[in-house]
Amino acid sequence: MPDPNGFLRYERRLPGRRPVPVRLQDWREVYPPAGDELIREQATRCMDCGIPFCHDGCPLGNRIPDWNDLVRTGDWDSAIEALHATNNFPEFTGRLCPAPCEAACVLSIAGGQPVTIKQVEVEIINRAVEAGRVTPRPAPERSGKSVGVVGSGPAGLAAAQQLARAGHDVTVYERDDELGGLLRYGIPDFKLEKQHIERRLEQLRAEGVRFRTGVHVGVTVSVEDLRASHDALLLACGALAARDTPETPGRSLRGIHLAMEHLVESNRVVAGKQPSAAITAEGKHVIIIGGGDTAADCLGVAHRQGARSVLQLDQYPVPPADRDEDRDPWPTWPWILRNYPAHEEGGDRAFAVAVTSFEGDAEGNLTAVRIAEVQVSRVDGRRVVSVVEGTEREYPADLVLLAIGFEGTEKGPLLTTLGLTRNRRGGIDTGPDWQSSALGVFVAGDMHRGASLIVWAIAEGRSAAASIHAYLGGDGALPSPVEPSAVALSA
Protein backbone atom coordinates (compact mmCIF):
# COMPACT_ATOMS: atom_id res chain seq x y z
CA MET A 1 0.00 0.00 0.00
CA PRO A 2 1.14 3.63 -0.45
CA ASP A 3 3.10 5.36 2.29
CA PRO A 4 0.45 7.32 4.28
CA ASN A 5 3.15 9.56 5.77
CA GLY A 6 5.07 10.35 2.59
CA PHE A 7 3.49 13.78 2.14
CA LEU A 8 4.59 14.67 5.69
CA ARG A 9 8.21 13.72 5.02
CA TYR A 10 8.64 15.30 1.59
CA GLU A 11 7.72 18.65 0.13
CA ARG A 12 6.62 19.14 -3.46
CA ARG A 13 9.66 19.54 -5.71
CA LEU A 14 10.12 19.68 -9.47
CA PRO A 15 13.34 19.16 -11.40
CA GLY A 16 15.10 22.35 -12.42
CA ARG A 17 14.57 23.70 -15.90
CA ARG A 18 17.46 24.12 -18.30
CA PRO A 19 19.12 27.53 -17.72
CA VAL A 20 17.46 30.33 -19.66
CA PRO A 21 20.62 31.53 -21.50
CA VAL A 22 21.26 27.96 -22.64
CA ARG A 23 17.78 26.99 -23.76
CA LEU A 24 17.24 30.21 -25.70
CA GLN A 25 20.00 29.07 -28.04
CA ASP A 26 18.07 26.01 -29.24
CA TRP A 27 14.58 24.52 -29.58
CA ARG A 28 15.02 21.53 -27.27
CA GLU A 29 12.63 20.81 -24.42
CA VAL A 30 12.86 23.09 -21.40
CA TYR A 31 12.76 20.29 -18.83
CA PRO A 32 15.66 17.82 -18.53
CA PRO A 33 14.98 14.27 -17.26
CA ALA A 34 14.51 13.97 -13.50
CA GLY A 35 16.56 11.68 -11.32
CA ASP A 36 15.16 8.48 -9.81
CA GLU A 37 15.53 9.72 -6.24
CA LEU A 38 13.50 12.87 -6.87
CA ILE A 39 10.71 11.06 -8.72
CA ARG A 40 10.41 8.29 -6.13
CA GLU A 41 10.33 10.89 -3.39
CA GLN A 42 7.53 12.78 -5.13
CA ALA A 43 5.57 9.61 -5.87
CA THR A 44 5.82 8.75 -2.18
CA ARG A 45 3.85 11.92 -1.41
CA CYS A 46 0.73 10.24 -2.87
CA MET A 47 -1.10 9.70 0.39
CA ASP A 48 -3.47 6.74 -0.08
CA CYS A 49 -6.33 9.19 0.44
CA GLY A 50 -9.10 6.60 0.12
CA ILE A 51 -11.13 8.54 -2.44
CA PRO A 52 -8.67 9.67 -5.14
CA PHE A 53 -10.29 12.79 -6.56
CA CYS A 54 -7.42 13.00 -9.06
CA HIS A 55 -9.35 10.31 -10.97
CA ASP A 56 -12.22 12.75 -11.40
CA GLY A 57 -9.97 15.64 -12.32
CA CYS A 58 -8.57 13.57 -15.20
CA PRO A 59 -11.11 12.68 -17.93
CA LEU A 60 -8.99 9.66 -18.85
CA GLY A 61 -9.53 8.23 -15.37
CA ASN A 62 -5.80 7.60 -14.99
CA ARG A 63 -5.01 5.23 -12.13
CA ILE A 64 -2.75 7.77 -10.52
CA PRO A 65 -2.38 6.33 -7.00
CA ASP A 66 -1.59 2.92 -8.51
CA TRP A 67 1.32 4.04 -10.65
CA ASN A 68 2.56 6.47 -8.02
CA ASP A 69 2.98 3.58 -5.60
CA LEU A 70 4.61 1.41 -8.25
CA VAL A 71 7.15 4.18 -8.84
CA ARG A 72 7.66 4.51 -5.08
CA THR A 73 8.61 0.85 -4.90
CA GLY A 74 10.72 1.01 -8.06
CA ASP A 75 8.46 -1.23 -10.16
CA TRP A 76 8.72 0.81 -13.36
CA ASP A 77 7.58 -2.05 -15.61
CA SER A 78 4.25 -2.38 -13.82
CA ALA A 79 3.94 1.42 -13.63
CA ILE A 80 3.94 1.79 -17.42
CA GLU A 81 1.38 -0.99 -17.74
CA ALA A 82 -0.91 0.81 -15.30
CA LEU A 83 -0.37 4.10 -17.12
CA HIS A 84 -0.97 2.66 -20.59
CA ALA A 85 -4.15 0.99 -19.37
CA THR A 86 -5.93 4.35 -19.53
CA ASN A 87 -3.69 6.62 -21.62
CA ASN A 88 -2.39 5.85 -25.10
CA PHE A 89 0.14 8.68 -25.14
CA PRO A 90 1.45 9.66 -21.69
CA GLU A 91 4.52 11.25 -23.27
CA PHE A 92 2.15 13.84 -24.80
CA THR A 93 -0.01 14.48 -21.75
CA GLY A 94 2.97 14.43 -19.40
CA ARG A 95 4.48 17.31 -21.37
CA LEU A 96 1.45 19.28 -22.53
CA CYS A 97 -1.45 18.76 -20.14
CA PRO A 98 -1.92 21.51 -17.50
CA ALA A 99 -2.74 18.71 -15.02
CA PRO A 100 -6.32 19.16 -13.75
CA CYS A 101 -5.55 16.00 -11.77
CA GLU A 102 -3.15 17.99 -9.61
CA ALA A 103 -5.79 20.65 -8.97
CA ALA A 104 -8.05 17.81 -7.73
CA CYS A 105 -5.35 16.17 -5.59
CA VAL A 106 -6.40 15.89 -1.94
CA LEU A 107 -3.09 17.45 -0.92
CA SER A 108 -4.11 20.69 -2.68
CA ILE A 109 -6.97 21.29 -0.23
CA ALA A 110 -6.66 24.60 1.65
CA GLY A 111 -3.71 25.79 -0.41
CA GLY A 112 -1.66 22.64 0.01
CA GLN A 113 0.91 21.37 -2.48
CA PRO A 114 -0.39 18.53 -4.70
CA VAL A 115 1.57 15.51 -5.81
CA THR A 116 3.67 16.20 -8.93
CA ILE A 117 1.46 13.83 -10.90
CA LYS A 118 2.39 15.18 -14.33
CA GLN A 119 6.12 14.88 -13.67
CA VAL A 120 5.81 11.32 -12.37
CA GLU A 121 3.76 10.42 -15.44
CA VAL A 122 6.31 11.70 -17.93
CA GLU A 123 9.17 9.97 -16.12
CA ILE A 124 7.31 6.65 -16.25
CA ILE A 125 7.01 6.84 -20.03
CA ASN A 126 10.57 8.16 -20.41
CA ARG A 127 11.94 5.14 -18.61
CA ALA A 128 9.65 2.78 -20.51
CA VAL A 129 11.02 4.11 -23.79
CA GLU A 130 14.60 3.76 -22.58
CA ALA A 131 13.90 0.17 -21.48
CA GLY A 132 12.29 -0.75 -24.82
CA ARG A 133 8.88 -1.39 -23.26
CA VAL A 134 6.86 0.70 -25.72
CA THR A 135 6.27 -1.99 -28.32
CA PRO A 136 3.56 -2.71 -30.92
CA ARG A 137 0.50 -4.68 -29.80
CA PRO A 138 -1.12 -5.82 -33.05
CA ALA A 139 -4.46 -7.58 -32.96
CA PRO A 140 -4.24 -11.40 -33.16
CA GLU A 141 -7.20 -11.48 -35.57
CA ARG A 142 -8.70 -9.08 -38.11
CA SER A 143 -12.37 -8.15 -38.02
CA GLY A 144 -12.73 -7.48 -41.72
CA LYS A 145 -14.19 -4.06 -40.94
CA SER A 146 -12.66 -0.79 -42.08
CA VAL A 147 -12.57 2.62 -40.36
CA GLY A 148 -11.42 5.94 -41.79
CA VAL A 149 -10.15 8.52 -39.32
CA VAL A 150 -9.99 12.12 -40.55
CA GLY A 151 -7.38 14.02 -38.55
CA SER A 152 -4.16 12.81 -36.95
CA GLY A 153 -4.15 14.79 -33.72
CA PRO A 154 -4.31 13.10 -30.31
CA ALA A 155 -8.02 12.24 -30.61
CA GLY A 156 -7.63 10.66 -34.04
CA LEU A 157 -4.47 8.78 -33.13
CA ALA A 158 -5.92 7.45 -29.86
CA ALA A 159 -9.04 6.20 -31.65
CA ALA A 160 -6.95 4.68 -34.45
CA GLN A 161 -4.80 2.75 -31.99
CA GLN A 162 -7.77 1.43 -30.04
CA LEU A 163 -9.58 0.31 -33.19
CA ALA A 164 -6.49 -1.27 -34.75
CA ARG A 165 -5.79 -3.24 -31.59
CA ALA A 166 -9.41 -4.45 -31.74
CA GLY A 167 -8.70 -5.93 -35.19
CA HIS A 168 -10.21 -3.31 -37.48
CA ASP A 169 -8.46 -1.94 -40.57
CA VAL A 170 -7.77 1.73 -39.87
CA THR A 171 -6.64 4.46 -42.25
CA VAL A 172 -5.86 7.94 -40.91
CA TYR A 173 -6.19 10.88 -43.31
CA GLU A 174 -4.25 14.09 -42.66
CA ARG A 175 -4.33 17.21 -44.84
CA ASP A 176 -0.87 18.42 -43.72
CA ASP A 177 2.36 16.99 -45.07
CA GLU A 178 3.18 15.43 -41.70
CA LEU A 179 1.17 13.60 -39.06
CA GLY A 180 0.29 14.75 -35.57
CA GLY A 181 -2.20 17.58 -35.98
CA LEU A 182 -1.40 20.52 -33.70
CA LEU A 183 1.19 18.37 -31.95
CA ARG A 184 3.27 18.58 -35.12
CA TYR A 185 3.19 22.20 -36.24
CA GLY A 186 1.16 23.91 -33.51
CA ILE A 187 3.30 23.02 -30.48
CA PRO A 188 6.90 24.33 -30.36
CA ASP A 189 9.70 21.83 -29.89
CA PHE A 190 10.70 23.37 -26.57
CA LYS A 191 7.46 21.88 -25.22
CA LEU A 192 7.32 18.70 -27.31
CA GLU A 193 10.22 17.44 -29.38
CA LYS A 194 8.86 15.68 -32.44
CA GLN A 195 10.76 12.45 -31.82
CA HIS A 196 7.96 11.54 -29.40
CA ILE A 197 5.39 11.75 -32.20
CA GLU A 198 7.55 9.74 -34.58
CA ARG A 199 8.01 6.97 -32.02
CA ARG A 200 4.25 6.57 -31.59
CA LEU A 201 3.60 6.67 -35.32
CA GLU A 202 6.10 3.85 -35.77
CA GLN A 203 4.22 1.85 -33.15
CA LEU A 204 0.84 2.52 -34.78
CA ARG A 205 2.13 1.48 -38.19
CA ALA A 206 3.40 -1.77 -36.71
CA GLU A 207 -0.08 -2.31 -35.26
CA GLY A 208 -1.59 -2.03 -38.73
CA VAL A 209 -2.68 1.61 -38.91
CA ARG A 210 -2.22 3.14 -42.36
CA PHE A 211 -1.57 6.85 -42.82
CA ARG A 212 -2.21 9.12 -45.78
CA THR A 213 -0.91 12.69 -45.65
CA GLY A 214 -1.75 15.57 -47.96
CA VAL A 215 -5.38 14.44 -48.09
CA HIS A 216 -7.90 17.24 -47.64
CA VAL A 217 -11.20 15.43 -47.31
CA GLY A 218 -13.87 17.20 -49.31
CA VAL A 219 -11.26 18.89 -51.51
CA THR A 220 -8.64 16.41 -52.78
CA VAL A 221 -10.73 13.36 -51.87
CA SER A 222 -14.52 13.38 -51.95
CA VAL A 223 -16.50 12.63 -48.84
CA GLU A 224 -18.60 10.17 -50.82
CA ASP A 225 -15.55 8.17 -51.86
CA LEU A 226 -14.31 8.05 -48.29
CA ARG A 227 -17.65 6.81 -46.97
CA ALA A 228 -17.76 4.15 -49.68
CA SER A 229 -14.26 2.97 -48.73
CA HIS A 230 -14.98 2.42 -45.03
CA ASP A 231 -17.61 0.89 -42.80
CA ALA A 232 -17.41 3.86 -40.44
CA LEU A 233 -15.76 7.28 -40.31
CA LEU A 234 -14.40 9.22 -37.35
CA LEU A 235 -14.00 12.96 -37.75
CA ALA A 236 -11.28 14.34 -35.47
CA CYS A 237 -10.38 17.50 -37.35
CA GLY A 238 -9.80 19.74 -34.35
CA ALA A 239 -11.03 23.28 -33.68
CA LEU A 240 -8.72 25.36 -35.83
CA ALA A 241 -11.02 28.28 -36.68
CA ALA A 242 -9.07 31.03 -34.91
CA ARG A 243 -10.79 33.94 -33.22
CA ASP A 244 -9.96 37.29 -34.82
CA THR A 245 -10.65 40.94 -34.08
CA PRO A 246 -11.69 42.41 -37.46
CA GLU A 247 -13.56 45.31 -35.86
CA THR A 248 -10.44 46.80 -34.25
CA PRO A 249 -9.26 49.87 -36.20
CA GLY A 250 -6.08 49.13 -38.13
CA ARG A 251 -6.53 45.34 -38.21
CA SER A 252 -5.65 45.26 -41.93
CA LEU A 253 -2.15 46.67 -41.38
CA ARG A 254 0.79 44.48 -42.38
CA GLY A 255 2.40 42.89 -39.34
CA ILE A 256 -0.75 41.59 -37.59
CA HIS A 257 -1.17 37.82 -37.68
CA LEU A 258 -3.11 35.01 -36.07
CA ALA A 259 -0.96 33.15 -33.56
CA MET A 260 -1.13 29.84 -35.38
CA GLU A 261 0.17 31.42 -38.58
CA HIS A 262 3.32 32.36 -36.68
CA LEU A 263 3.65 29.07 -34.78
CA VAL A 264 3.12 26.84 -37.79
CA GLU A 265 5.73 28.69 -39.84
CA SER A 266 8.22 28.63 -36.99
CA ASN A 267 7.73 24.91 -36.41
CA ARG A 268 8.12 24.17 -40.10
CA VAL A 269 11.44 26.03 -40.13
CA VAL A 270 12.64 24.12 -37.06
CA ALA A 271 11.58 20.86 -38.75
CA GLY A 272 13.55 21.77 -41.88
CA LYS A 273 10.41 22.00 -44.00
CA GLN A 274 11.19 25.52 -45.19
CA PRO A 275 14.36 27.63 -45.07
CA SER A 276 12.96 30.65 -43.25
CA ALA A 277 9.80 32.16 -41.84
CA ALA A 278 7.98 35.06 -43.45
CA ILE A 279 6.55 35.92 -40.03
CA THR A 280 9.43 36.34 -37.62
CA ALA A 281 9.99 38.20 -34.36
CA GLU A 282 13.68 38.81 -35.02
CA GLY A 283 14.66 42.34 -34.06
CA LYS A 284 11.03 43.42 -33.65
CA HIS A 285 8.82 44.93 -30.97
CA VAL A 286 6.28 42.13 -30.50
CA ILE A 287 2.83 42.42 -28.93
CA ILE A 288 1.05 39.16 -28.06
CA ILE A 289 -2.67 39.48 -27.40
CA GLY A 290 -3.98 36.68 -25.18
CA GLY A 291 -3.12 35.06 -21.89
CA GLY A 292 -3.34 31.31 -22.48
CA ASP A 293 -1.16 28.44 -23.65
CA THR A 294 -0.99 29.62 -27.25
CA ALA A 295 0.13 33.08 -26.17
CA ALA A 296 2.87 31.53 -24.02
CA ASP A 297 3.99 29.42 -26.99
CA CYS A 298 4.25 32.60 -29.09
CA LEU A 299 6.26 34.20 -26.29
CA GLY A 300 8.78 31.37 -26.21
CA VAL A 301 9.12 31.42 -29.99
CA ALA A 302 9.61 35.20 -30.02
CA HIS A 303 12.46 34.88 -27.50
CA ARG A 304 14.20 32.23 -29.59
CA GLN A 305 13.78 34.23 -32.77
CA GLY A 306 15.49 37.23 -31.16
CA ALA A 307 12.67 39.69 -30.53
CA ARG A 308 13.74 43.19 -29.52
CA SER A 309 10.95 43.38 -26.94
CA VAL A 310 7.82 41.39 -26.13
CA LEU A 311 4.66 42.57 -24.38
CA GLN A 312 1.81 40.17 -23.61
CA LEU A 313 -1.68 41.62 -23.12
CA ASP A 314 -4.54 40.05 -21.17
CA GLN A 315 -8.06 41.51 -20.87
CA TYR A 316 -8.58 40.02 -17.44
CA PRO A 317 -7.15 41.36 -14.16
CA VAL A 318 -4.13 39.72 -12.56
CA PRO A 319 -5.31 36.35 -11.21
CA PRO A 320 -4.64 35.52 -7.57
CA ALA A 321 -1.54 33.52 -6.69
CA ASP A 322 -3.63 30.93 -4.81
CA ARG A 323 -7.03 29.31 -5.28
CA ASP A 324 -10.05 31.44 -4.36
CA GLU A 325 -12.22 28.86 -2.59
CA ASP A 326 -15.36 30.96 -3.05
CA ARG A 327 -14.86 31.20 -6.80
CA ASP A 328 -13.18 27.85 -7.55
CA PRO A 329 -13.55 25.44 -4.62
CA TRP A 330 -11.42 22.32 -4.55
CA PRO A 331 -11.35 20.01 -6.55
CA THR A 332 -12.25 22.25 -9.52
CA TRP A 333 -9.71 23.86 -11.85
CA PRO A 334 -8.73 27.18 -10.23
CA TRP A 335 -8.28 30.57 -11.84
CA ILE A 336 -4.79 31.52 -10.67
CA LEU A 337 -1.77 33.27 -12.12
CA ARG A 338 0.09 30.74 -14.24
CA ASN A 339 3.70 31.43 -15.07
CA TYR A 340 4.97 29.40 -18.00
CA PRO A 341 8.66 28.72 -18.63
CA ALA A 342 8.52 31.32 -21.42
CA HIS A 343 7.72 34.03 -18.87
CA GLU A 344 10.99 33.54 -17.05
CA GLU A 345 12.81 33.92 -20.35
CA GLY A 346 11.84 37.59 -20.70
CA GLY A 347 9.11 39.93 -21.83
CA ASP A 348 6.48 41.94 -19.97
CA ARG A 349 2.82 41.31 -19.18
CA ALA A 350 -0.05 43.74 -18.86
CA PHE A 351 -3.38 42.74 -17.34
CA ALA A 352 -6.87 44.25 -17.54
CA VAL A 353 -6.06 45.94 -20.85
CA ALA A 354 -7.33 45.72 -24.42
CA VAL A 355 -6.25 47.08 -27.79
CA THR A 356 -8.26 50.10 -28.93
CA SER A 357 -6.47 50.47 -32.27
CA PHE A 358 -3.52 49.37 -34.36
CA GLU A 359 -1.45 52.25 -35.75
CA GLY A 360 0.54 52.25 -38.98
CA ASP A 361 2.56 54.28 -41.43
CA ALA A 362 1.64 55.63 -44.84
CA GLU A 363 2.70 52.35 -46.50
CA GLY A 364 0.27 50.30 -44.40
CA ASN A 365 2.84 48.81 -42.03
CA LEU A 366 2.13 48.33 -38.35
CA THR A 367 4.09 50.74 -36.15
CA ALA A 368 2.30 50.85 -32.78
CA VAL A 369 -0.56 49.52 -30.68
CA ARG A 370 -2.86 51.68 -28.59
CA ILE A 371 -4.26 50.01 -25.50
CA ALA A 372 -6.48 51.02 -22.61
CA GLU A 373 -7.41 49.60 -19.25
CA VAL A 374 -10.69 47.67 -19.30
CA GLN A 375 -13.22 46.04 -17.03
CA VAL A 376 -14.75 42.69 -18.02
CA SER A 377 -18.23 41.80 -16.79
CA ARG A 378 -21.09 39.45 -17.57
CA VAL A 379 -24.41 40.87 -18.76
CA ASP A 380 -27.20 38.38 -19.51
CA GLY A 381 -24.58 35.67 -19.86
CA ARG A 382 -22.52 37.67 -22.35
CA ARG A 383 -19.01 38.96 -21.78
CA VAL A 384 -18.90 42.76 -21.91
CA VAL A 385 -15.61 44.68 -22.07
CA SER A 386 -15.76 48.31 -20.92
CA VAL A 387 -12.91 50.75 -21.53
CA VAL A 388 -11.77 52.87 -18.60
CA GLU A 389 -11.68 56.44 -19.92
CA GLY A 390 -8.40 58.30 -19.77
CA THR A 391 -6.19 55.21 -19.57
CA GLU A 392 -5.08 54.94 -23.19
CA ARG A 393 -1.39 54.58 -23.96
CA GLU A 394 0.70 53.54 -26.94
CA TYR A 395 3.45 50.96 -27.42
CA PRO A 396 5.73 50.49 -30.43
CA ALA A 397 4.93 47.34 -32.40
CA ASP A 398 6.32 45.72 -35.53
CA LEU A 399 4.57 42.38 -35.02
CA VAL A 400 1.24 41.59 -33.35
CA LEU A 401 0.17 37.99 -32.71
CA LEU A 402 -3.50 37.29 -31.97
CA ALA A 403 -3.72 34.41 -29.48
CA ILE A 404 -7.29 35.01 -28.37
CA GLY A 405 -8.70 31.53 -28.75
CA PHE A 406 -10.59 29.47 -31.30
CA GLU A 407 -14.16 29.58 -32.57
CA GLY A 408 -14.49 25.86 -33.23
CA THR A 409 -13.98 23.50 -36.10
CA GLU A 410 -13.46 24.97 -39.54
CA LYS A 411 -16.31 25.30 -42.01
CA GLY A 412 -15.89 23.66 -45.38
CA PRO A 413 -17.03 21.03 -47.86
CA LEU A 414 -16.55 18.18 -45.37
CA LEU A 415 -19.31 19.52 -43.12
CA THR A 416 -21.46 20.71 -46.01
CA THR A 417 -21.42 17.38 -47.82
CA LEU A 418 -22.32 15.48 -44.66
CA GLY A 419 -25.05 17.98 -43.75
CA LEU A 420 -23.38 18.81 -40.43
CA THR A 421 -23.68 22.23 -38.83
CA ARG A 422 -21.63 23.76 -36.05
CA ASN A 423 -23.30 24.39 -32.70
CA ARG A 424 -22.97 27.64 -30.74
CA ARG A 425 -19.53 26.53 -29.47
CA GLY A 426 -18.38 25.84 -33.01
CA GLY A 427 -18.36 22.07 -32.45
CA ILE A 428 -20.33 19.22 -33.98
CA ASP A 429 -23.05 17.64 -31.86
CA THR A 430 -23.30 13.88 -31.51
CA GLY A 431 -25.62 11.37 -29.97
CA PRO A 432 -24.69 9.44 -26.81
CA ASP A 433 -22.77 6.99 -29.02
CA TRP A 434 -20.55 9.74 -30.52
CA GLN A 435 -22.35 9.36 -33.85
CA SER A 436 -23.26 12.51 -35.73
CA SER A 437 -26.50 13.06 -37.62
CA ALA A 438 -24.79 11.37 -40.60
CA LEU A 439 -25.14 7.61 -40.31
CA GLY A 440 -21.86 5.86 -39.58
CA VAL A 441 -19.98 9.14 -39.09
CA PHE A 442 -18.63 9.74 -35.59
CA VAL A 443 -17.00 12.85 -34.12
CA ALA A 444 -14.48 13.26 -31.29
CA GLY A 445 -11.93 15.62 -29.79
CA ASP A 446 -11.87 19.38 -30.24
CA MET A 447 -14.08 19.05 -33.29
CA HIS A 448 -16.79 17.87 -30.91
CA ARG A 449 -16.19 19.85 -27.71
CA GLY A 450 -14.29 22.91 -28.97
CA ALA A 451 -10.68 23.80 -28.18
CA SER A 452 -9.79 21.91 -25.02
CA LEU A 453 -7.07 19.95 -23.23
CA ILE A 454 -5.10 17.08 -24.71
CA VAL A 455 -6.43 14.70 -22.04
CA TRP A 456 -9.97 15.40 -23.21
CA ALA A 457 -8.94 14.76 -26.82
CA ILE A 458 -7.45 11.37 -25.97
CA ALA A 459 -10.39 10.48 -23.72
CA GLU A 460 -12.89 11.35 -26.46
CA GLY A 461 -10.86 9.44 -29.05
CA ARG A 462 -10.86 6.33 -26.86
CA SER A 463 -14.59 6.68 -26.15
CA ALA A 464 -15.53 7.21 -29.78
CA ALA A 465 -13.45 4.18 -30.70
CA ALA A 466 -15.47 2.10 -28.23
CA SER A 467 -18.71 3.22 -29.88
CA ILE A 468 -17.39 2.54 -33.38
CA HIS A 469 -16.26 -0.91 -32.27
CA ALA A 470 -19.79 -1.63 -31.01
CA TYR A 471 -21.32 -0.16 -34.19
CA LEU A 472 -19.20 -2.54 -36.27
CA GLY A 473 -20.34 -5.52 -34.19
CA GLY A 474 -16.98 -6.06 -32.52
CA ASP A 475 -16.57 -8.61 -29.75
CA GLY A 476 -16.40 -7.31 -26.20
CA ALA A 477 -16.20 -3.65 -25.21
CA LEU A 478 -13.37 -1.16 -25.50
CA PRO A 479 -12.64 1.33 -22.71
CA SER A 480 -14.86 4.40 -22.81
CA PRO A 481 -13.76 6.92 -20.17
CA VAL A 482 -16.19 9.77 -21.01
CA GLU A 483 -19.59 10.41 -22.53
CA PRO A 484 -20.23 13.13 -25.14
CA SER A 485 -22.01 15.23 -22.51
CA ALA A 486 -19.13 15.03 -20.01
CA VAL A 487 -17.68 18.31 -18.73
CA ALA A 488 -14.80 19.27 -16.50
CA LEU A 489 -15.30 19.38 -12.74
CA SER A 490 -17.18 22.52 -11.75
CA ALA A 491 -18.76 23.96 -8.64
Side-chain angles (χ1 to χ4, degrees):
M1 64 176 288
D3 182 348
N5 298 312
F7 73 99
L8 298 173
R9 293 190 287 115
Y10 301 113
E11 295 183 353
R12 176 184 169 97
R13 288 197 302 137
L14 290 170
R17 297 164 180 156
R18 296 171 60 217
V20 170
V22 175
R23 70 187 194 229
L24 287 182
Q25 302 305 311
D26 60 43
W27 295 86
R28 290 172 47 219
E29 290 180 8
V30 168
Y31 291 95
D36 285 358
E37 181 179 356
L38 173 61
I39 293 304
R40 289 188 185 182
E41 170 190 295
Q42 293 305 301
T44 301
R45 296 187 70 243
C46 190
M47 61 182 291
D48 190 22
C49 56
I51 301 178
F53 281 84
C54 54
H55 285 196
D56 297 307
C58 176
L60 282 167
N62 281 336
R63 303 170 184 173
I64 296 164
D66 292 358
W67 40 259
N68 271 331
D69 193 49
L70 291 165
V71 168
R72 179 185 71 86
T73 59
D75 190 351
W76 294 95
D77 288 350
S78 297
I80 188 58
E81 291 299 319
L83 182 50
H84 271 153
T86 56
N87 187 351
N88 297 71
F89 314 122
E91 64 270 49
F92 301 161
T93 55
R95 287 171 169 83
L96 302 176
C97 180
C101 53
E102 293 187 15
C105 176
V106 168
L107 288 181
S108 68
I109 295 176
Q113 295 297 306
V115 175
T116 59
I117 298 170
K118 177 177 171 178
Q119 187 65 49
V120 176
E121 175 183 22
V122 79
E123 295 302 335
I124 293 173
I125 183 61
N126 285 349
R127 282 157 177 75
V129 168
E130 292 172 1
R133 291 193 57 81
V134 182
T135 57
R137 299 183 180 181
E141 297 180 359
R142 310 309 301 174
S143 69
K145 300 292 186 178
S146 174
V147 182
V149 177
V150 184
S152 66
L157 292 180
Q161 185 165 66
Q162 295 295 98
L163 290 165
R165 288 177 173 179
H168 306 299
D169 296 326
V170 182
T171 302
V172 177
Y173 300 90
E174 170 58 55
R175 70 180 181 183
D176 280 340
D177 61 344
E178 293 285 355
L179 301 161
L182 279 185
L183 297 177
R184 174 68 64 177
Y185 292 136
I187 304 295
D189 281 41
F190 55 77
K191 287 178 63 176
L192 178 73
E193 293 181 15
K194 303 310 181 263
Q195 60 181 320
H196 305 297
I197 303 175
E198 295 301 332
R199 188 180 298 116
R200 282 299 178 180
L201 293 175
E202 181 181 351
Q203 182 192 39
L204 266 68
R205 288 189 179 98
E207 291 172 349
V209 178
R210 292 185 291 272
F211 295 100
R212 290 184 60 189
T213 57
V215 177
H216 192 173
V217 177
V219 178
T220 60
V221 173
S222 74
V223 179
E224 294 86 349
D225 286 348
L226 211 62
R227 296 189 78 180
S229 301
H230 300 286
D231 299 297
L233 290 182
L234 173 64
L235 307 184
C237 305
L240 300 176
R243 189 171 290 123
D244 205 336
T245 177
E247 72 286 350
T248 304
R251 171 61 182 90
S252 61
L253 291 167
R254 286 188 295 273
I256 305 172
H257 301 275
L258 299 174
M260 291 311 302
E261 294 173 348
H262 179 234
L263 292 174
V264 168
E265 264 208 351
S266 170
N267 285 326
R268 288 184 64 83
V269 171
V270 172
K273 294 294 183 178
Q274 61 188 67
S276 61
I279 307 170
T280 178
E282 183 178 2
K284 295 179 180 178
H285 294 293
V286 180
I287 305 288
I288 300 171
I289 303 176
D293 285 359
T294 302
D297 291 348
C298 290
L299 180 62
V301 169
H303 293 323
R304 285 158 179 78
Q305 289 181 338
R308 185 175 176 184
S309 69
V310 188
L311 174 62
Q312 184 180 348
L313 308 179
D314 194 326
Q315 283 190 341
Y316 294 96
V318 181
D322 301 308
R323 181 195 296 268
D324 181 343
E325 292 289 350
D326 292 330
R327 174 191 168 108
D328 305 306
W330 176 88
T332 63
W333 181 249
W335 181 61
I336 60 174
L337 180 63
R338 302 186 189 280
N339 292 306
Y340 298 83
H343 291 123
E344 71 179 6
E345 296 169 356
D348 296 309
R349 302 165 83 176
F351 293 89
V353 297
V355 173
T356 57
S357 67
F358 301 109
E359 305 296 325
D361 60 22
E363 286 73 40
N365 299 306
L366 175 73
T367 59
V369 169
R370 290 190 63 78
I371 71 171
E373 295 178 13
V374 297
Q375 294 178 338
V376 181
S377 58
R378 288 279 175 180
V379 177
D380 297 329
R382 295 185 303 108
R383 187 172 65 95
V384 177
V385 180
S386 303
V387 174
V388 179
E389 295 297 329
T391 62
E392 278 199 328
R393 52 194 186 271
E394 187 171 293
Y395 290 93
D398 307 300
L399 175 64
V400 165
L401 301 173
L402 303 177
I404 51 179
F406 298 87
E407 294 183 336
T409 198
E410 294 173 305
K411 300 176 182 178
L414 172 62
L415 300 186
T416 302
T417 304
L418 291 171
L420 303 178
T421 57
R422 304 192 313 168
N423 57 32
R424 62 180 180 83
R425 302 185 315 278
I428 304 299
D429 289 326
T430 72
D433 63 350
W434 300 92
Q435 191 169 191
S436 70
S437 57
L439 182 64
V441 179
F442 299 75
V443 185
D446 287 1
M447 190 175 188
H448 165 252
R449 69 183 299 110
S452 187
L453 307 181
I454 187 170
V455 281
W456 278 101
I458 296 174
E460 291 209 356
R462 288 171 66 90
S463 300
S467 288
I468 294 171
H469 179 67
Y471 173 82
L472 297 176
D475 294 333
L478 299 183
S480 181
V482 293
E483 298 178 349
S485 59
V487 295
L489 286 175
S490 61

